[in-house]
Amino acid sequence: MLKVGEKAPEFEGTAYHKGNFKNVKLSDYDGEWRVVCFYPGDFTFV
Amino acid sequence: MSAVAVKYDELKDLGAEVIAVSTNSHFSHKIWDEVELSKMVEGGIPYPMVADTSGKIGKKYGVYDEEGGVNVRGRFLIDPDGVLQAMEVLTPPVGRNVSELMRQLQAFQHVRKTGEATPSGWKPGKPTLKPGKDLVGKVWKEWQPSNAYGE
């Protein structure tokens, strides 16, 4: 169970980023604030 | 996701990076950006869009909907130490409020820097509270509910 105040789960996956494909990990951005946004799907309306 | 993209520069200025995740493939992300999002956001989506085709990442964050096979709309604010500070999860038809995300980010940053607490509706420039023995039972002297609203 995810809880605020605890370490956010590490993840990694293939990403599309500005024209390229690359591997992205949450920990790639250690030392920075991060906003992780899940959304239901590409081509959805809101 | 385009609403987050147009605020990306402001988020970057605040020292925050955005990572978007859905169960679509990275190929699908590319096409969506090229044919649609780049027409709503100058230069296209500036942040990485991660493919979570198995829902593995969504399951870790409690946003994977088994029935639909998709990740519902979840937003997680993570500090520089990797600690989860805030989360918001919505069912798909209602979009997020990016202004509220920015407000929370600024509040968490203020708390991290000063050790003060930010009361309801706090925005930069509004009064904060300094928790301690002298404040017990005396919040009413420092803060009124009307402070939560307006500028």
Side-chain angles (χ1 to χ4, degrees), chain A:
Chain A
M1 181 63 194
L2 205 58
K3 281 188 189 163
V4 291
E6 290 184 3
K7 198 97 174 164
E10 170 69 321
F11 64 81
E12 112 171 82
T14 307
Y16 168 74
H17 189 205
K18 291 197 283 194
N20 298 306
F21 297 134
K22 65 174 195 182
N23 197 64
V24 166
K25 282 194 278 201
L26 179 66
S27 57
D28 289 343
Y29 303 97
D30 278 352
E32 292 177 70
W33 287 85
R34 283 150 280 189
V35 180
V36 179
C37 288
F38 292 88
Y39 64 99
D42 297 344
F43 302 100
T44 50
F45 304 104
V46 292

Side-chain angles (χ1 to χ4, degrees), chain B residues 2 7 22 28 38 44 67-68 75 96 109 120 147 149 151:
Chain B
S2 55
K7 288 282 178 188
S22 84
S28 171
S38 59
E67 208 163 299
R75 181 269 283 165
R96 13 181 160 253
Q109 288 179 332
S120 176
N147 290 131
Y149 305 100
E151 290 311 309

Side-chain angles (χ1 to χ4, degrees), chain A residues 32-33, chain B residues 7-17 102 105-106 109:
Chain A
E32 292 177 70
W33 287 85
Chain B
K7 288 282 178 188
Y8 181 73
D9 285 345
E10 284 176 55
L11 287 163
K12 270 303 256 195
D13 286 346
L14 290 170
E17 191 51 64
M102 309 268 299
L105 174 61
Q106 288 173 297
Q109 288 179 332

Side-chain angles (χ1 to χ4, degrees), chain B residues 14 21 24 26 33 36 38 40 42 44 52 54-55 62 64 66 68-69 71 74 83 89 91 102 118 127-128 144-145:
Chain B
L14 290 170
V21 185
N24 300 100
H26 48 294
D33 186 42
E36 185 162 57
S38 59
M40 299 153 95
E42 180 84 39
D52 182 28
S54 64
Y64 184 70
E66 300 274 349
N71 291 321
V83 173
V89 183
T91 53
M102 309 268 299
T118 64
T128 54
Q144 293 294 322

Side-chain angles (χ1 to χ4, degrees), chain B residues 18-39:
Chain B
V18 176
I19 307 171
V21 185
S22 84
T23 55
N24 300 100
S25 69
H26 48 294
F27 305 112
S28 171
H29 293 334
K30 178 174 190 284
I31 300 302
W32 191 31
D33 186 42
E34 285 176 358
V35 308
E36 185 162 57
L37 296 174
S38 59
K39 296 181 175 63

